[in-house]
Amino acid sequence: MNSPSTQFITSRMDIYEPIYQISMWGENFKGNCCPNTSASAILEVDTKLDNQSEDTSQGTLGPSNNYDQEANKPSDKVQRRLAQNREAARKSRLRKKAYVQQLETSRLKLIKLEQELEQARQQGLYISGGLVASHLGYSGTVNPGIAAFEMEYGHWMEEQNRKICDLKAALHSHVADIDLCILVDGAMSHYFDLFRMKSTAAKADVFYLMSGMWKTSAERLFLWIGGFRPSELLKVLVPHLDLTEKQYMEVCNLRQPLQQAEDALSQGMDKLQLILAETVAAGLLGEGSYVPQMAIAMEKVEALVSFVNQADHLRRETLQQMSRILTVRQTARGLLALGEYLQRLRTLSSHWATRPREPA
């Protein structure tokens, strides 16, 4: 196994120490995209085919001389030809109907999502009967980027629960490795989708993302720069995996550079927070204007987004590197262990919030 190379980069601002940069350990998972087809064009072509088939079924088979030639053929052959044309027209109509229904279903789903997003932008999101103020600014207006992220994250969680159930069922039923590999790739890509969503949300409001308000209270206890700590991931996974001696050594070799990367990012965050606090506190008391300090502080805040992206990059590469060390079946067990670990943290938060309380 090749250990990740380390490279320290100097920020464009003189506010923190060089940040550890993880080199890419493999290629990204690639997705397939399907070309868009114009529904109106398909309907037009199918309509022409239907008209031609109906004309044929009524005996309009071309000019009169062709009709005379066809009439001279044995009647059973003509009947077979007409039956084939009618069957082709019927199948064409069924295909057209199924395709139009699929387009209509997709259109309705898109309209529903757009309506939900617009409602969230205008009114805010409500959870347990209370308004979630996390995506509201100081003026009380909704941050569209954060409202969209909370909605996306809710859908992501639903899909995550389904993927965990699929992995559990596949492992218990001992499916073939080729089928299990499809589930593993899907689960990995699902985490990568979350990192993409978080990158967009950080640009909208990095304070919200790093505060962990989109997570439960127990998850926030272990929060590290907007997510789980990669070295903690190894501690969660390894006890559930039956590693060979070679695999165990490779995991041990991976742990040290991960810890170094985390320490470098943590030190950079500490230095940035210190400089940001000094910048905000600078200036004379009672001067009545904070504009100069805020202008300088805004430049520093932009660096927080890069820290979130660096941390998610480290998390992504840790998942990919572990998948290279492990077999497909071990990787499936590791993803199941990670998913259930996060589920248990959310369950702990729920139990704590609903615990019996002694009367005051």
Side-chain angles (χ1 to χ4, degrees):
M1 185 202 76
N2 294 326
S3 299
S5 61
T6 58
Q7 176 186 3
F8 287 89
I9 60 173
T10 304
S11 171
R12 58 187 175 84
M13 300 177 295
D14 54 350
I15 59 174
Y16 53 88
E17 298 294 335
I19 300 177
Y20 181 92
Q21 181 79 6
I22 295 294
S23 63
M24 292 301 294
W25 292 339
E27 298 180 356
N28 297 332
F29 287 91
K30 300 179 181 179
N32 296 326
C33 57
C34 299
N36 294 326
T37 305
S38 173
S40 61
I42 292 179
L43 292 178
E44 182 179 355
V45 173
D46 284 342
T47 302
K48 291 180 180 180
L49 290 175
D50 292 346
N51 293 338
Q52 292 175 2
S53 299
E54 291 171 358
D55 292 342
T56 302
S57 64
Q58 296 172 3
T60 307
L61 301 177
S64 59
N65 57 346
N66 291 337
Y67 179 81
D68 294 339
Q69 294 176 4
E70 190 69 28
N72 294 330
K73 295 181 179 180
S75 59
D76 58 342
K77 188 171 184 180
V78 174
Q79 292 300 324
R80 285 198 302 271
R81 179 74 61 82
L82 293 175
Q84 291 174 356
N85 289 339
R86 285 194 295 269
E87 180 65 16
R90 187 185 68 83
K91 291 181 178 180
S92 176
R93 286 192 294 272
L94 290 176
R95 288 195 302 269
K96 176 177 63 179
K97 183 178 180 181
Y99 184 74
V100 171
Q101 289 177 346
Q102 182 181 5
L103 288 179
E104 182 65 17
T105 301
S106 299
R107 185 181 70 85
L108 293 176
K109 288 182 179 180
L110 179 59
I111 291 175
K112 182 179 179 181
L113 288 176
E114 290 176 346
Q115 290 174 346
E116 291 177 353
L117 179 58
E118 184 63 26
Q119 183 180 6
R121 288 174 176 172
Q122 294 178 357
Q123 300 178 2
L125 300 179
Y126 288 82
I127 296 180
S128 300
L131 176 63
V132 177
S134 59
H135 58 276
L136 298 178
Y138 179 78
S139 63
T141 58
V142 176
N143 185 325
I146 296 305
F149 171 77
E150 289 185 341
M151 186 177 300
E152 278 190 297
Y153 184 66
H155 295 320
W156 187 91
M157 285 297 305
E158 294 176 359
E159 183 64 20
Q160 173 73 352
N161 292 335
R162 284 193 290 268
K163 289 185 179 298
I164 291 174
C165 291
D166 291 343
L167 283 173
K168 186 184 303 183
L171 288 171
H172 288 171
S173 59
H174 303 286
V175 300
D177 284 356
I178 188 172
D179 296 325
L180 193 59
C181 185
I182 296 175
L183 296 177
V184 167
D185 289 346
M188 294 280 285
S189 297
H190 194 56
Y191 279 107
F192 301 160
D193 289 339
L194 176 61
F195 301 152
R196 173 192 55 78
M197 291 160 46
K198 288 171 58 183
S199 178
T200 302
K203 296 176 183 177
D205 188 349
V206 69
F207 296 123
Y208 161 85
L209 189 69
M210 294 191 65
S211 68
M213 294 304 296
W214 49 286
K215 286 183 169 292
T216 60
S217 55
E219 289 178 292
R220 290 198 296 272
L221 180 64
F222 299 95
L223 195 67
W224 178 77
I225 314 183
F228 59 82
R229 188 180 287 269
S231 60
E232 291 294 330
L233 172 64
L234 301 184
K235 296 179 182 179
V236 172
L237 300 187
V238 170
H240 299 279
L241 304 175
D242 186 15
L243 299 177
T244 65
E245 183 177 352
K246 180 176 182 294
Q247 287 175 325
Y248 183 78
M249 291 302 298
E250 289 177 338
V251 171
C252 290
N253 292 336
L254 178 62
R255 182 178 286 111
Q256 182 177 0
L258 282 179
Q259 189 64 58
Q260 293 174 349
E262 291 174 4
D263 291 345
L265 284 175
S266 296
Q267 292 171 9
M269 276 294 303
D270 292 342
K271 183 99 180 259
L272 177 58
Q273 289 176 346
L274 176 62
I275 299 301
L276 184 60
E278 293 176 349
T279 301
V280 173
L284 300 176
L285 294 177
E287 59 183 345
S289 175
Y290 308 130
V291 175
Q293 292 88 346
M294 294 304 102
I296 299 175
M298 285 295 291
E299 297 179 359
K300 311 271 189 293
V301 170
E302 291 180 357
L304 290 175
V305 178
S306 67
F307 274 95
V308 172
N309 292 334
Q310 288 280 346
D312 276 345
H313 178 74
L314 188 59
R315 284 183 272 265
R316 177 191 181 107
E317 296 304 324
T318 302
L319 287 172
Q320 287 185 321
Q321 185 66 358
M322 283 296 292
S323 69
R324 296 188 182 98
I325 295 174
L326 305 176
T327 65
V328 173
R329 198 160 296 273
Q330 286 174 325
T331 303
R333 288 185 60 83
L335 290 171
L336 178 60
L338 175 60
E340 289 196 346
Y341 170 72
L342 297 177
Q343 280 184 334
R344 291 174 185 180
L345 286 180
R346 290 189 289 271
T347 302
L348 176 61
S349 296
S350 177
H351 286 183
W352 175 254
T354 58
R355 71 190 186 280
R357 293 177 175 83
E358 297 181 358

